[in-house]
Amino acid sequence: MKKKILFITSDRSDFNLQKDLIIELQNIYNCYLFCTGTHFDKKFGFTINNIKNTKIKNLIFSKIKNVNKIEYFKLHSIYLDEFNKIIHKIRPDLLILFGDRSEILICSFVAYSKKINIAHFYGGEVTKGSLDNRYRDGISLFSNYHFTSNINHKKNVKNLGFRNKNVFSYGSLLNDVFSKKNFYDKQKVKKKYNVKLSKYNYVLTFHPDKENNIKNYKKVFESIKGLKKTSIFICRPNNDPGNKEILKLINRTKNDKKNIFLIKDFGTKYYFSLVKQSNGVIGNSSSGISEIPSLNKPTINIGDRQKGRPRSSSVIDVGYDIKKIKKAIITTRSKKFLRKIKKNYNPYFKKNALLNTKKEIIKILK
């Protein structure tokens, strides 16, 4: 009888990380993907449709809809009950969890209490300006096996008290996967989202941080106004407290300017294809730190949300200061800076990450 693996996805970012691993492993094991969280919320692009269009076979759908309308702590009590029922129904031999979301922490607690083995991706990372920092360590502490994105993060996980033989460092799965894919050309990207590309183009992704200071958030969106010959493509923020305020700022900004576009959900390949056509990314998303450097594109990282993560030379760190953000935008167009990052080293990239991870999970299940 085939062994069973249960995966959980609660937002677009963790799904993009695990999609290809699920497809690889479902040819060997009975793999199940439980879909919950923002995937069923129209305000976040109703991304469950993207999941349905993949080659993943055994999908299980949450009954929770419109998470943005449910009070934060009440939502997590619902997650607790739902995860308990799913884990009891599937009884997996291994639960594989990605990331650092609070709902994933709830799931790890349920599985640990039921003595289910857990493999966690990507523990050991440090994001001092985000509540996820503690959630991530909590998930790691409930887990049995650990897949980290670089050697520094492996050391951090070991410092939590785990044995070396249960901690692996194979790099980011997403870096490995998209580096092997052809990107869509400019015309296909423009047609897909009905947008115009200007002389200068940037992708902006901005999430709430630990301080959740609305005055700081306003400065981010003020800094992208009045940029000449420039288009800005904005991704939606995650579901952390403060996201409603950021969405209001996004809608207000795009309504004021014809060159600013809100895109509800890119999909992995389209997202990286647009970044390839752009002058860089702006915001505080982990993608700007861990994946974008592999494209040799600049990242303007705002605030402390990603403080503590290893950096590539392509990352420009700035505070919540309009003048400094605009100065960083000018730097991304500098020939000197672009020459500097042409052979950029990304500490999150390792060759054959997907293959090596797959082999390790097979060993674990033996």
Side-chain angles (χ1 to χ4, degrees), residues 27 29 60 63 118 144 146 158 176 196 263 284 287:
N27 296 321
Y29 305 105
I60 306 169
K63 294 179 181 178
I118 304 170
N144 309 84
H146 308 269
K158 285 167 65 179
D176 186 35
K196 67 173 184 178
I263 298 176
N284 61 3
S287 176

Side-chain angles (χ1 to χ4, degrees), residues 90-103:
I90 301 297
R91 297 185 183 276
D93 297 285
L94 183 67
L95 174 67
I96 296 182
L97 300 176
F98 278 75
D100 46 31
R101 304 283 303 151
S102 54
E103 59 268 26

Side-chain angles (χ1 to χ4, degrees), residues 204-207 217 220-221 224-225 233-238 243-257 260-263:
L204 189 151
T205 309
F206 191 80
H207 303 300
Y217 299 165
V220 175
F221 293 94
I224 61 172
K225 290 182 180 179
F233 306 95
I234 305 178
C235 301
R236 285 184 172 273
N238 63 25
N243 77 311
K244 291 178 183 178
E245 288 77 8
I246 292 175
L247 280 170
K248 286 178 184 176
L249 288 169
I250 291 171
N251 287 320
R252 196 180 305 156
T253 305
K254 77 178 180 66
N255 290 337
D256 288 346
K257 302 292 178 182
I260 296 176
F261 306 90
L262 171 62
I263 298 176

Side-chain angles (χ1 to χ4, degrees), residues 323-356:
K323 287 184 179 179
K324 289 182 179 179
I325 295 170
K326 288 193 171 186
K327 184 180 178 181
I329 291 172
I330 294 170
T331 300
T332 64
R333 304 170 185 178
S334 157
K335 290 181 180 179
K336 182 179 178 181
F337 183 76
L338 293 174
R339 280 197 301 269
K340 175 186 170 184
I341 67 170
K342 198 170 184 181
K343 295 182 179 179
N344 195 39
Y345 166 72
N346 186 353
Y348 299 89
F349 175 78
K350 277 192 177 182
K351 194 175 179 181
N352 297 323
L354 180 61
L355 177 62
N356 291 330

Side-chain angles (χ1 to χ4, degrees), residues 172-184:
S172 165
L173 287 173
L174 193 54
N175 263 317
D176 186 35
V177 170
F178 85 70
S179 67
K180 295 181 174 68
K181 291 182 178 177
N182 295 321
F183 296 97
Y184 295 126

